[in-house]
Amino acid sequence: MCAPAPRPSYLLSLPNFLCFFLWIYASGNGDTGASCLFQGFVAKPETLPDGSVNLMVWRCVIPGKPGTDWEGGYFPLTLQFDDNYPTTAPSCRFPAGFFHINVYDSGVVCLSILGDAWKPSITVKQVLVGIQELLDDPNPNSAAQHRCYELYKKNMPEYRNKVREQTKRYPSRM
């Protein structure tokens, strides 16, 4: 028996398509339009050069939490879904070189709900809020960047200074 032809990654099966839009509805204010906004967060599907929308890639913004060194920053994040969504978590990526203990140099976020703790019922809102929480409450036991880890453990004032410097590089929404 021949294997089925691969389908383009931008196409969703009907069950995934319905789950995706239920996910969007549960993620924000119920608006299933071009973007979802809540409390300064932005989640918007990628628009391709021909004007079509790629539902497999979302451009997001995570605001720094008030009262933290991250406050005032609006941090760009890309959510990438694969054909197995919602069975598998989306990959979440900040720009390369993003300074955080739990973000690899490539920008990939290391967070339990995006790995072993993933459940198909987790919403985009939960992912984005979870990443916002991670910004100011990192998990040094799961360090992805050695230089951040070292500063966090040995020189907290310098670590906090680096965070504030990075926050200034992302002063407003996309």
Side-chain angles (χ1 to χ4, degrees):
M1 176 182 266
C2 294
R7 61 189 166 102
S9 63
Y10 60 85
L11 295 178
L12 294 170
S13 67
L14 186 56
N16 282 352
F17 182 80
L18 294 174
C19 288
F20 187 80
F21 276 98
L22 288 173
W23 180 68
I24 297 302
Y25 180 79
S27 298
N29 58 8
D31 175 13
T32 57
S35 67
C36 295
L37 300 164
F38 54 96
Q39 303 170 8
F41 291 81
V42 175
K44 185 177 182 180
E46 178 180 64
T47 302
L48 300 174
D50 67 0
S52 63
V53 175
N54 180 0
L55 293 175
M56 303 301 277
V57 178
W58 285 63
R59 304 294 177 204
C60 304
V61 174
I62 297 180
K65 197 170 183 180
T68 71
D69 292 324
W70 300 87
E71 181 176 16
Y74 292 88
F75 305 100
L77 180 86
T78 301
L79 292 175
Q80 175 84 44
F81 301 91
D82 69 16
D83 289 336
N84 294 319
Y85 176 80
T87 304
T88 59
S91 73
C92 298
R93 183 183 302 261
F94 283 109
F98 193 84
F99 182 82
H100 192 275
I101 293 171
N102 304 115
V103 177
Y104 292 96
D105 286 329
S106 65
V108 173
V109 177
C110 178
L111 180 63
S112 62
I113 63 169
L114 299 173
D116 294 341
W118 173 256
K119 296 177 196 165
S121 61
I122 294 174
T123 66
V124 70
K125 182 176 183 177
Q126 290 169 313
V127 169
L128 296 180
V129 169
I131 293 172
Q132 183 194 47
E133 290 289 327
L134 183 69
L135 290 177
D136 196 56
D137 190 17
N139 179 1
N141 295 325
S142 185
Q145 284 188 42
H146 184 72
R147 65 188 169 105
C148 294
Y149 173 80
E150 288 295 318
L151 282 177
Y152 185 83
K153 286 296 202 184
K154 297 179 180 175
N155 190 347
M156 186 56 77
E158 181 60 24
Y159 173 83
R160 293 182 69 202
N161 185 49
K162 291 259 189 209
V163 168
R164 289 189 297 269
E165 285 175 15
Q166 177 167 258
T167 297
K168 290 177 187 174
R169 289 195 302 267
Y170 299 102
S172 63
R173 293 186 200 132
M174 292 178 14

mmCIF file of all heavy atoms in Angstrom, residues 129-166:
data_model
loop_
_atom_site.group_PDB
_atom_site.id
_atom_site.type_symbol
_atom_site.label_atom_id
_atom_site.label_comp_id
_atom_site.label_asym_id
_atom_site.label_seq_id
_atom_site.Cartn_x
_atom_site.Cartn_y
_atom_site.Cartn_z
ATOM 1 N N VAL A 129 0.311 33.633 28.696
ATOM 2 C CA VAL A 129 0.391 34.043 30.101
ATOM 3 C C VAL A 129 1.469 33.230 30.818
ATOM 4 O O VAL A 129 2.217 33.760 31.644
ATOM 5 C CB VAL A 129 -0.980 33.939 30.800
ATOM 6 C CG1 VAL A 129 -0.867 34.104 32.309
ATOM 7 C CG2 VAL A 129 -1.945 34.982 30.233
ATOM 8 N N GLY A 130 1.586 31.953 30.492
ATOM 9 C CA GLY A 130 2.624 31.116 31.082
ATOM 10 C C GLY A 130 4.014 31.623 30.737
ATOM 11 O O GLY A 130 4.911 31.646 31.585
ATOM 12 N N ILE A 131 4.201 32.055 29.503
ATOM 13 C CA ILE A 131 5.494 32.606 29.097
ATOM 14 C C ILE A 131 5.733 33.952 29.783
ATOM 15 O O ILE A 131 6.844 34.235 30.236
ATOM 16 C CB ILE A 131 5.600 32.703 27.562
ATOM 17 C CG1 ILE A 131 5.622 31.291 26.964
ATOM 18 C CG2 ILE A 131 6.837 33.495 27.146
ATOM 19 C CD1 ILE A 131 5.522 31.241 25.459
ATOM 20 N N GLN A 132 4.686 34.767 29.912
ATOM 21 C CA GLN A 132 4.832 36.035 30.631
ATOM 22 C C GLN A 132 5.268 35.784 32.079
ATOM 23 O O GLN A 132 6.156 36.461 32.594
ATOM 24 C CB GLN A 132 3.521 36.831 30.604
ATOM 25 C CG GLN A 132 3.651 38.186 31.288
ATOM 26 C CD GLN A 132 2.324 38.845 31.576
ATOM 27 O OE1 GLN A 132 1.408 38.208 32.087
ATOM 28 N NE2 GLN A 132 2.223 40.126 31.251
ATOM 29 N N GLU A 133 4.647 34.809 32.716
ATOM 30 C CA GLU A 133 5.028 34.456 34.093
ATOM 31 C C GLU A 133 6.475 33.970 34.154
ATOM 32 O O GLU A 133 7.207 34.292 35.084
ATOM 33 C CB GLU A 133 4.100 33.366 34.640
ATOM 34 C CG GLU A 133 2.686 33.817 34.913
ATOM 35 C CD GLU A 133 2.576 34.739 36.115
ATOM 36 O OE1 GLU A 133 3.367 34.568 37.071
ATOM 37 O OE2 GLU A 133 1.717 35.629 36.090
ATOM 38 N N LEU A 134 6.873 33.191 33.154
ATOM 39 C CA LEU A 134 8.229 32.654 33.111
ATOM 40 C C LEU A 134 9.277 33.760 33.015
ATOM 41 O O LEU A 134 10.374 33.615 33.546
ATOM 42 C CB LEU A 134 8.369 31.696 31.925
ATOM 43 C CG LEU A 134 9.702 30.975 31.764
ATOM 44 C CD1 LEU A 134 9.896 29.953 32.885
ATOM 45 C CD2 LEU A 134 9.768 30.307 30.402
ATOM 46 N N LEU A 135 8.927 34.864 32.345
ATOM 47 C CA LEU A 135 9.900 35.946 32.192
ATOM 48 C C LEU A 135 10.469 36.368 33.536
ATOM 49 O O LEU A 135 11.678 36.447 33.714
ATOM 50 C CB LEU A 135 9.278 37.146 31.473
ATOM 51 C CG LEU A 135 8.965 36.965 29.991
ATOM 52 C CD1 LEU A 135 8.290 38.218 29.440
ATOM 53 C CD2 LEU A 135 10.201 36.620 29.188
ATOM 54 N N ASP A 136 9.587 36.659 34.503
ATOM 55 C CA ASP A 136 10.061 37.158 35.788
ATOM 56 C C ASP A 136 10.260 36.056 36.827
ATOM 57 O O ASP A 136 10.818 36.303 37.882
ATOM 58 C CB ASP A 136 9.103 38.217 36.344
ATOM 59 C CG ASP A 136 9.749 39.015 37.467
ATOM 60 O OD1 ASP A 136 10.824 39.603 37.221
ATOM 61 O OD2 ASP A 136 9.211 39.022 38.590
ATOM 62 N N ASP A 137 9.797 34.877 36.521
ATOM 63 C CA ASP A 137 9.939 33.759 37.457
ATOM 64 C C ASP A 137 10.561 32.572 36.730
ATOM 65 O O ASP A 137 9.917 31.550 36.498
ATOM 66 C CB ASP A 137 8.573 33.394 38.039
ATOM 67 C CG ASP A 137 8.662 32.403 39.183
ATOM 68 O OD1 ASP A 137 9.772 32.235 39.755
ATOM 69 O OD2 ASP A 137 7.629 31.788 39.501
ATOM 70 N N PRO A 138 11.843 32.709 36.347
ATOM 71 C CA PRO A 138 12.481 31.645 35.564
ATOM 72 C C PRO A 138 12.692 30.385 36.379
ATOM 73 O O PRO A 138 12.646 30.403 37.606
ATOM 74 C CB PRO A 138 13.820 32.264 35.156
ATOM 75 C CG PRO A 138 14.105 33.268 36.207
ATOM 76 C CD PRO A 138 12.763 33.796 36.654
ATOM 77 N N ASN A 139 12.940 29.298 35.662
ATOM 78 C CA ASN A 139 13.232 28.020 36.290
ATOM 79 C C ASN A 139 14.722 27.720 36.093
ATOM 80 O O ASN A 139 15.121 27.187 35.061
ATOM 81 C CB ASN A 139 12.382 26.917 35.666
ATOM 82 C CG ASN A 139 12.669 25.563 36.260
ATOM 83 O OD1 ASN A 139 13.494 25.422 37.164
ATOM 84 N ND2 ASN A 139 11.999 24.550 35.747
ATOM 85 N N PRO A 140 15.561 28.060 37.088
ATOM 86 C CA PRO A 140 16.998 27.817 36.926
ATOM 87 C C PRO A 140 17.352 26.334 36.844
ATOM 88 O O PRO A 140 18.439 25.991 36.382
ATOM 89 C CB PRO A 140 17.633 28.464 38.159
ATOM 90 C CG PRO A 140 16.535 28.884 39.047
ATOM 91 C CD PRO A 140 15.233 28.727 38.333
ATOM 92 N N ASN A 141 16.447 25.451 37.233
ATOM 93 C CA ASN A 141 16.697 24.010 37.138
ATOM 94 C C ASN A 141 16.567 23.497 35.709
ATOM 95 O O ASN A 141 16.870 22.335 35.436
ATOM 96 C CB ASN A 141 15.752 23.240 38.054
ATOM 97 C CG ASN A 141 16.007 23.556 39.511
ATOM 98 O OD1 ASN A 141 17.140 23.775 39.920
ATOM 99 N ND2 ASN A 141 14.942 23.612 40.289
ATOM 100 N N SER A 142 16.069 24.353 34.807
ATOM 101 C CA SER A 142 15.925 23.975 33.410
ATOM 102 C C SER A 142 16.556 25.059 32.536
ATOM 103 O O SER A 142 15.937 25.581 31.619
ATOM 104 C CB SER A 142 14.437 23.799 33.077
ATOM 105 O OG SER A 142 14.286 23.319 31.767
ATOM 106 N N ALA A 143 17.790 25.411 32.849
ATOM 107 C CA ALA A 143 18.478 26.502 32.159
ATOM 108 C C ALA A 143 18.767 26.147 30.706
ATOM 109 O O ALA A 143 19.226 25.057 30.400
ATOM 110 C CB ALA A 143 19.770 26.857 32.880
ATOM 111 N N ALA A 144 18.493 27.088 29.831
ATOM 112 C CA ALA A 144 18.762 26.934 28.411
ATOM 113 C C ALA A 144 19.938 27.801 27.962
ATOM 114 O O ALA A 144 20.518 27.556 26.919
ATOM 115 C CB ALA A 144 17.514 27.290 27.597
ATOM 116 N N GLN A 145 20.264 28.825 28.759
ATOM 117 C CA GLN A 145 21.392 29.711 28.463
ATOM 118 C C GLN A 145 22.306 29.767 29.677
ATOM 119 O O GLN A 145 21.903 30.249 30.740
ATOM 120 C CB GLN A 145 20.912 31.131 28.150
ATOM 121 C CG GLN A 145 20.315 31.325 26.788
ATOM 122 C CD GLN A 145 20.052 32.796 26.509
ATOM 123 O OE1 GLN A 145 20.867 33.657 26.822
ATOM 124 N NE2 GLN A 145 18.899 33.062 25.915
ATOM 125 N N HIS A 146 23.509 29.302 29.499
ATOM 126 C CA HIS A 146 24.462 29.240 30.607
ATOM 127 C C HIS A 146 24.799 30.634 31.146
ATOM 128 O O HIS A 146 24.855 30.841 32.356
ATOM 129 C CB HIS A 146 25.734 28.510 30.167
ATOM 130 C CG HIS A 146 26.722 28.333 31.270
ATOM 131 N ND1 HIS A 146 26.519 27.453 32.308
ATOM 132 C CD2 HIS A 146 27.901 28.954 31.511
ATOM 133 C CE1 HIS A 146 27.534 27.531 33.139
ATOM 134 N NE2 HIS A 146 28.395 28.429 32.681
ATOM 135 N N ARG A 147 25.001 31.623 30.252
ATOM 136 C CA ARG A 147 25.388 32.960 30.711
ATOM 137 C C ARG A 147 24.290 33.578 31.570
ATOM 138 O O ARG A 147 24.583 34.223 32.575
ATOM 139 C CB ARG A 147 25.770 33.870 29.544
ATOM 140 C CG ARG A 147 24.618 34.175 28.604
ATOM 141 C CD ARG A 147 25.092 34.915 27.349
ATOM 142 N NE ARG A 147 24.034 34.945 26.378
ATOM 143 C CZ ARG A 147 23.308 36.023 26.107
ATOM 144 N NH1 ARG A 147 23.574 37.155 26.704
ATOM 145 N NH2 ARG A 147 22.343 35.977 25.221
ATOM 146 N N CYS A 148 23.036 33.389 31.209
ATOM 147 C CA CYS A 148 21.920 33.901 32.018
ATOM 148 C C CYS A 148 21.874 33.199 33.365
ATOM 149 O O CYS A 148 21.684 33.839 34.402
ATOM 150 C CB CYS A 148 20.591 33.679 31.306
ATOM 151 S SG CYS A 148 20.392 34.614 29.802
ATOM 152 N N TYR A 149 22.039 31.896 33.333
ATOM 153 C CA TYR A 149 22.014 31.106 34.556
ATOM 154 C C TYR A 149 23.099 31.575 35.526
ATOM 155 O O TYR A 149 22.845 31.759 36.720
ATOM 156 C CB TYR A 149 22.194 29.629 34.209
ATOM 157 C CG TYR A 149 22.344 28.739 35.410
ATOM 158 C CD1 TYR A 149 21.220 28.338 36.127
ATOM 159 C CD2 TYR A 149 23.599 28.313 35.832
ATOM 160 C CE1 TYR A 149 21.343 27.512 37.244
ATOM 161 C CE2 TYR A 149 23.735 27.495 36.947
ATOM 162 C CZ TYR A 149 22.601 27.104 37.645
ATOM 163 O OH TYR A 149 22.739 26.309 38.752
ATOM 164 N N GLU A 150 24.303 31.759 35.009
ATOM 165 C CA GLU A 150 25.423 32.186 35.854
ATOM 166 C C GLU A 150 25.144 33.538 36.492
ATOM 167 O O GLU A 150 25.387 33.731 37.690
ATOM 168 C CB GLU A 150 26.730 32.235 35.047
ATOM 169 C CG GLU A 150 27.264 30.867 34.689
ATOM 170 C CD GLU A 150 27.688 30.051 35.896
ATOM 171 O OE1 GLU A 150 28.319 30.610 36.810
ATOM 172 O OE2 GLU A 150 27.376 28.845 35.924
ATOM 173 N N LEU A 151 24.653 34.491 35.713
ATOM 174 C CA LEU A 151 24.331 35.811 36.271
ATOM 175 C C LEU A 151 23.218 35.707 37.306
ATOM 176 O O LEU A 151 23.280 36.337 38.362
ATOM 177 C CB LEU A 151 23.925 36.788 35.170
ATOM 178 C CG LEU A 151 25.052 37.385 34.346
ATOM 179 C CD1 LEU A 151 24.510 38.280 33.241
ATOM 180 C CD2 LEU A 151 26.018 38.165 35.222
ATOM 181 N N TYR A 152 22.197 34.925 36.990
ATOM 182 C CA TYR A 152 21.054 34.769 37.893
ATOM 183 C C TYR A 152 21.506 34.206 39.238
ATOM 184 O O TYR A 152 21.075 34.657 40.289
ATOM 185 C CB TYR A 152 20.014 33.860 37.242
ATOM 186 C CG TYR A 152 18.727 33.715 38.022
ATOM 187 C CD1 TYR A 152 17.729 34.666 37.916
ATOM 188 C CD2 TYR A 152 18.508 32.613 38.838
ATOM 189 C CE1 TYR A 152 16.543 34.535 38.615
ATOM 190 C CE2 TYR A 152 17.328 32.469 39.543
ATOM 191 C CZ TYR A 152 16.340 33.434 39.429
ATOM 192 O OH TYR A 152 15.168 33.299 40.131
ATOM 193 N N LYS A 153 22.379 33.216 39.203
ATOM 194 C CA LYS A 153 22.841 32.561 40.428
ATOM 195 C C LYS A 153 23.915 33.359 41.175
ATOM 196 O O LYS A 153 23.948 33.338 42.401
ATOM 197 C CB LYS A 153 23.395 31.159 40.113
ATOM 198 C CG LYS A 153 22.323 30.149 39.795
ATOM 199 C CD LYS A 153 21.448 29.941 40.997
ATOM 200 C CE LYS A 153 20.726 28.637 40.959
ATOM 201 N NZ LYS A 153 19.817 28.486 42.081
ATOM 202 N N LYS A 154 24.786 34.052 40.435
ATOM 203 C CA LYS A 154 25.963 34.651 41.076
ATOM 204 C C LYS A 154 25.966 36.177 41.136
ATOM 205 O O LYS A 154 26.705 36.752 41.917
ATOM 206 C CB LYS A 154 27.229 34.181 40.360
ATOM 207 C CG LYS A 154 27.434 32.681 40.468
ATOM 208 C CD LYS A 154 28.668 32.237 39.737
ATOM 209 C CE LYS A 154 28.825 30.727 39.881
ATOM 210 N NZ LYS A 154 29.927 30.217 39.110
ATOM 211 N N ASN A 155 25.157 36.825 40.285
ATOM 212 C CA ASN A 155 25.194 38.291 40.241
ATOM 213 C C ASN A 155 23.819 38.826 39.863
ATOM 214 O O ASN A 155 23.616 39.314 38.747
ATOM 215 C CB ASN A 155 26.268 38.750 39.250
ATOM 216 C CG ASN A 155 26.548 40.228 39.319
ATOM 217 O OD1 ASN A 155 25.793 40.994 39.922
ATOM 218 N ND2 ASN A 155 27.627 40.646 38.686
ATOM 219 N N MET A 156 22.872 38.746 40.792
ATOM 220 C CA MET A 156 21.495 39.154 40.520
ATOM 221 C C MET A 156 21.388 40.618 40.079
ATOM 222 O O MET A 156 20.610 40.914 39.166
ATOM 223 C CB MET A 156 20.607 38.884 41.738
ATOM 224 C CG MET A 156 19.138 39.163 41.467
ATOM 225 S SD MET A 156 18.417 38.253 40.063
ATOM 226 C CE MET A 156 18.194 36.653 40.789
ATOM 227 N N PRO A 157 22.139 41.561 40.654
ATOM 228 C CA PRO A 157 22.034 42.943 40.162
ATOM 229 C C PRO A 157 22.394 43.066 38.675
ATOM 230 O O PRO A 157 21.721 43.779 37.923
ATOM 231 C CB PRO A 157 23.020 43.717 41.040
ATOM 232 C CG PRO A 157 23.096 42.923 42.307
ATOM 233 C CD PRO A 157 22.978 41.488 41.872
ATOM 234 N N GLU A 158 23.434 42.355 38.231
ATOM 235 C CA GLU A 158 23.813 42.404 36.819
ATOM 236 C C GLU A 158 22.762 41.690 35.952
ATOM 237 O O GLU A 158 22.454 42.138 34.844
ATOM 238 C CB GLU A 158 25.194 41.768 36.605
ATOM 239 C CG GLU A 158 25.675 41.809 35.177
ATOM 240 C CD GLU A 158 25.808 43.214 34.590
ATOM 241 O OE1 GLU A 158 25.962 44.192 35.350
ATOM 242 O OE2 GLU A 158 25.743 43.342 33.348
ATOM 243 N N TYR A 159 22.219 40.580 36.445
ATOM 244 C CA TYR A 159 21.144 39.885 35.729
ATOM 245 C C TYR A 159 19.964 40.830 35.512
ATOM 246 O O TYR A 159 19.459 40.970 34.404
ATOM 247 C CB TYR A 159 20.707 38.644 36.512
ATOM 248 C CG TYR A 159 19.496 37.966 35.917
ATOM 249 C CD1 TYR A 159 19.629 37.073 34.859
ATOM 250 C CD2 TYR A 159 18.217 38.229 36.399
ATOM 251 C CE1 TYR A 159 18.523 36.455 34.292
ATOM 252 C CE2 TYR A 159 17.107 37.620 35.845
ATOM 253 C CZ TYR A 159 17.262 36.740 34.792
ATOM 254 O OH TYR A 159 16.165 36.144 34.231
ATOM 255 N N ARG A 160 19.533 41.491 36.577
ATOM 256 C CA ARG A 160 18.390 42.421 36.491
ATOM 257 C C ARG A 160 18.706 43.590 35.556
ATOM 258 O O ARG A 160 17.832 44.046 34.816
ATOM 259 C CB ARG A 160 18.004 42.914 37.879
ATOM 260 C CG ARG A 160 17.449 41.773 38.745
ATOM 261 C CD ARG A 160 17.015 42.243 40.094
ATOM 262 N NE ARG A 160 15.822 43.071 39.908
ATOM 263 C CZ ARG A 160 15.409 43.976 40.773
ATOM 264 N NH1 ARG A 160 16.068 44.182 41.896
ATOM 265 N NH2 ARG A 160 14.326 44.673 40.537
ATOM 266 N N ASN A 161 19.940 44.053 35.556
ATOM 267 C CA ASN A 161 20.349 45.121 34.651
ATOM 268 C C ASN A 161 20.226 44.673 33.194
ATOM 269 O O ASN A 161 19.739 45.412 32.345
ATOM 270 C CB ASN A 161 21.782 45.560 34.972
ATOM 271 C CG ASN A 161 22.205 46.750 34.142
ATOM 272 O OD1 ASN A 161 21.494 47.739 34.052
ATOM 273 N ND2 ASN A 161 23.365 46.634 33.526
ATOM 274 N N LYS A 162 20.674 43.446 32.906
ATOM 275 C CA LYS A 162 20.556 42.902 31.536
ATOM 276 C C LYS A 162 19.096 42.792 31.111
ATOM 277 O O LYS A 162 18.750 43.064 29.964
ATOM 278 C CB LYS A 162 21.226 41.529 31.440
ATOM 279 C CG LYS A 162 22.715 41.571 31.564
ATOM 280 C CD LYS A 162 23.321 41.481 30.213
ATOM 281 C CE LYS A 162 24.819 41.312 30.363
ATOM 282 N NZ LYS A 162 25.523 41.868 29.240
ATOM 283 N N VAL A 163 18.226 42.378 32.036
ATOM 284 C CA VAL A 163 16.794 42.281 31.734
ATOM 285 C C VAL A 163 16.248 43.669 31.390
ATOM 286 O O VAL A 163 15.525 43.841 30.403
ATOM 287 C CB VAL A 163 16.018 41.657 32.913
ATOM 288 C CG1 VAL A 163 14.517 41.827 32.739
ATOM 289 C CG2 VAL A 163 16.380 40.180 33.057
ATOM 290 N N ARG A 164 16.591 44.671 32.189
ATOM 291 C CA ARG A 164 16.096 46.038 31.939
ATOM 292 C C ARG A 164 16.632 46.584 30.612
ATOM 293 O O ARG A 164 15.912 47.273 29.886
ATOM 294 C CB ARG A 164 16.437 46.951 33.109
ATOM 295 C CG ARG A 164 15.598 46.636 34.347
ATOM 296 C CD ARG A 164 15.775 47.667 35.451
ATOM 297 N NE ARG A 164 17.138 47.720 35.967
ATOM 298 C CZ ARG A 164 17.590 47.018 36.994
ATOM 299 N NH1 ARG A 164 16.783 46.196 37.640
ATOM 300 N NH2 ARG A 164 18.845 47.137 37.390
ATOM 301 N N GLU A 165 17.887 46.266 30.281
ATOM 302 C CA GLU A 165 18.449 46.677 28.983
ATOM 303 C C GLU A 165 17.658 46.053 27.835
ATOM 304 O O GLU A 165 17.350 46.713 26.852
ATOM 305 C CB GLU A 165 19.913 46.253 28.874
ATOM 306 C CG GLU A 165 20.874 47.080 29.676
ATOM 307 C CD GLU A 165 22.298 46.522 29.621
ATOM 308 O OE1 GLU A 165 22.591 45.667 28.743
ATOM 309 O OE2 GLU A 165 23.114 46.931 30.466
ATOM 310 N N GLN A 166 17.362 44.767 27.961
ATOM 311 C CA GLN A 166 16.592 44.086 26.920
ATOM 312 C C GLN A 166 15.192 44.673 26.808
ATOM 313 O O GLN A 166 14.678 44.862 25.704
ATOM 314 C CB GLN A 166 16.510 42.588 27.210
ATOM 315 C CG GLN A 166 15.663 41.845 26.197
ATOM 316 C CD GLN A 166 15.838 40.366 26.313
ATOM 317 O OE1 GLN A 166 16.550 39.790 25.518
ATOM 318 N NE2 GLN A 166 15.222 39.752 27.289
#
